[in-house]
Amino acid sequence: MEHFFPALYGNEKIKALIGRDILERRQHHAYIFEGPAGSGKHLLAKETAKALLCQRTDTNTLPCDACLHCRKIEAHSYTDIAYINSGDKATVSVETVRNALATLSYAPDEGDYKVYIFEDADKMTVQAQNALLLSLEEPPAYAVFILLTTDSAALLETIRSRAVTFSMELFSREAVLAYLQQNSNAPKPRLQEASEACGGIIGAAKSILDGEADTAVLSSAAGDFISLLFTGTAADALIYCTQMKYSRTQFDTFFVFAMSAVRDKISAKVGGKDLLFYGKEQQGAEAAGSTLKRLTGLYDSLYEAREEIVHANAAAYPALCTIVEKYFRQN
Ligand SMILES: [Zn+2]
């Protein structure tokens, strides 16, 4: 029995599909891994590179994590794997992409494949994406491209159509708690707290446990903002917006939490039981007065505001006000 990607929790369907393809040497030239920060897409990219290049010291597990190639990839010292990211800039420029791809026409040094991992694919400018597109159209047989993004809609359709997209799994509170119990020595009440505040994202639960207050603060801010819409007035919510002074990365996390909160409320309306953000006791409350239409409208305007603030670099306050105004306008 093959065991694929043991380092990554959950995501069984994705792991089986990619693992099987690699084992049978019919992997795709381009993958898009999509999901919020902390959902495991970076880990999956690294493990996919290992699986492609693994020398199989253990034939039951892919990657084996013990051969020379696996170990070098783990140590980031494998020459045929390139990581492309924005560094400390807001975007990934066309020069960055061109420089990274300058080596594409040379055959790999160490193994059978060259892997290009674009860590902030959604930050690539349109010119940068077009530069990548040229390589995606006629890639050398040994090239594999992996694009990581919080939202694949931020990528050009011409790129998406040449890649296979996988969305990382989000987990129920119970599943996160089960994971944490196996992987953390923190006391039970803290594990419970982290599993409740993480919005179904394992990486967020870990940062909460590590004391990176940011994630916990943003999670509770998102919960407060959504509650205020349901139980407060438009004026209350607008005042709250003036206090939200976050970086773009923080806004990205804030919106992931806010959207999963609203998603839970929508799920409750239609009788769904899988919860990402709220506990069972809170799920149906508060939003009782909101129609399904109003909730889905809210979800859409959160999505739009996130696009504007995080991806289009728009000013935050007007975009936040639009969410509030749209919500209170619709009855
Ligand atoms: Zn190996």
Side-chain angles (χ1 to χ4, degrees), residues 56-107:
R56 312 295 315 269
T57 56
D58 168 359
T59 49
N60 292 319
T61 307
L62 187 70
C64 76
D65 235 6
C67 70
L68 181 64
H69 287 191
C70 280
R71 283 183 286 129
K72 284 183 89 169
I73 295 168
E74 182 63 35
H76 279 252
S77 64
Y78 197 91
T79 50
D80 295 322
I81 298 179
Y83 289 88
I84 301 100
N85 55 51
S86 60
D88 51 9
K89 303 211 175 67
T91 57
V92 178
S93 68
V94 62
E95 289 78 21
T96 302
V97 171
R98 282 198 191 122
N99 287 341
L101 295 176
T103 59
L104 181 62
S105 57
Y106 307 119

Side-chain angles (χ1 to χ4, degrees), residues 115-137:
V115 185
Y116 293 82
I117 300 175
F118 291 79
E119 297 187 288
D120 311 304
D122 41 4
K123 291 187 184 168
M124 285 193 288
T125 62
V126 171
Q127 293 93 320
Q129 293 192 48
N130 278 318
L132 170 60
L133 189 59
L134 293 176
S135 302
L136 287 181
E137 281 169 341

Side-chain angles (χ1 to χ4, degrees), residues 167-216:
S167 296
M168 304 303 294
E169 185 181 354
L170 299 179
F171 299 94
S172 70
R173 287 177 165 202
E174 294 72 25
V176 175
L177 186 60
Y179 172 87
L180 294 179
Q181 280 170 337
Q182 283 183 4
N183 293 281
S184 166
N185 298 321
K188 180 95 193 276
R190 291 214 54 216
L191 300 183
Q192 190 86 37
E193 223 174 76
S195 67
E196 284 169 12
C198 71
I201 305 164
I202 297 259
K206 285 187 188 163
S207 340
I208 292 169
L209 283 179
D210 290 345
E212 287 170 27
D214 233 29
T215 314

Side-chain angles (χ1 to χ4, degrees), residues 83-331:
Y83 289 88
I84 301 100
N85 55 51
S86 60
D88 51 9
K89 303 211 175 67
T91 57
V92 178
S93 68
V94 62
E95 289 78 21
T96 302
V97 171
R98 282 198 191 122
N99 287 341
L101 295 176
T103 59
L104 181 62
S105 57
Y106 307 119
D109 282 331
E110 303 192 59
D112 294 335
Y113 300 101
K114 288 179 104 158
V115 185
Y116 293 82
I117 300 175
F118 291 79
E119 297 187 288
D120 311 304
D122 41 4
K123 291 187 184 168
M124 285 193 288
T125 62
V126 171
Q127 293 93 320
Q129 293 192 48
N130 278 318
L132 170 60
L133 189 59
L134 293 176
S135 302
L136 287 181
E137 281 169 341
E138 281 176 57
Y142 50 75
V144 176
F145 302 91
I146 303 177
L147 283 68
L148 311 183
T149 175
T150 53
D151 178 10
S152 62
L155 300 173
L156 297 175
E157 169 56 28
T158 41
I159 296 225
R160 279 184 280 149
S161 67
R162 284 175 175 79
V164 47
T165 300
F166 290 108
S167 296
M168 304 303 294
E169 185 181 354
L170 299 179
F171 299 94
S172 70
R173 287 177 165 202
E174 294 72 25
V176 175
L177 186 60
Y179 172 87
L180 294 179
Q181 280 170 337
Q182 283 183 4
N183 293 281
S184 166
N185 298 321
K188 180 95 193 276
R190 291 214 54 216
L191 300 183
Q192 190 86 37
E193 223 174 76
S195 67
E196 284 169 12
C198 71
I201 305 164
I202 297 259
K206 285 187 188 163
S207 340
I208 292 169
L209 283 179
D210 290 345
E212 287 170 27
D214 233 29
T215 314
V217 168
L218 294 168
S219 165
S220 86
D224 291 348
F225 179 60
I226 297 300
S227 290
L228 208 48
L229 293 178
F230 295 146
T231 59
T233 64
D236 293 337
L238 289 171
I239 290 169
Y240 191 86
C241 293
T242 61
Q243 302 164 7
M244 284 195 260
K245 300 202 187 329
Y246 304 139
S247 69
R248 293 198 314 157
T249 315
Q250 288 170 322
F251 264 119
D252 198 21
T253 307
F254 170 85
F255 280 115
V256 167
F257 286 133
M259 285 161 71
S260 68
V262 175
R263 180 204 158 279
D264 278 2
K265 301 289 185 189
I266 293 171
S267 163
K269 284 271 176 213
V270 299
K273 290 195 172 57
D274 55 323
L275 297 177
L276 295 176
F277 191 79
Y278 293 105
K280 287 189 175 58
E281 68 287 356
Q282 303 160 281
Q283 181 199 27
E286 287 180 349
S290 252
T291 59
L292 189 58
K293 190 175 164 217
R294 216 173 166 202
L295 288 172
T296 51
L298 174 57
Y299 188 92
D300 290 346
S301 43
L302 287 167
Y303 181 87
E304 283 161 20
R306 177 185 176 201
E307 284 299 298
E308 285 173 23
I309 297 171
V310 179
H311 296 128
N313 213 1
Y317 185 66
L320 293 166
C321 291
T322 307
I323 300 172
V324 177
E325 280 155 12
K326 274 192 188 162
Y327 181 76
F328 282 96
R329 203 185 308 140
Q330 191 169 61
N331 276 304

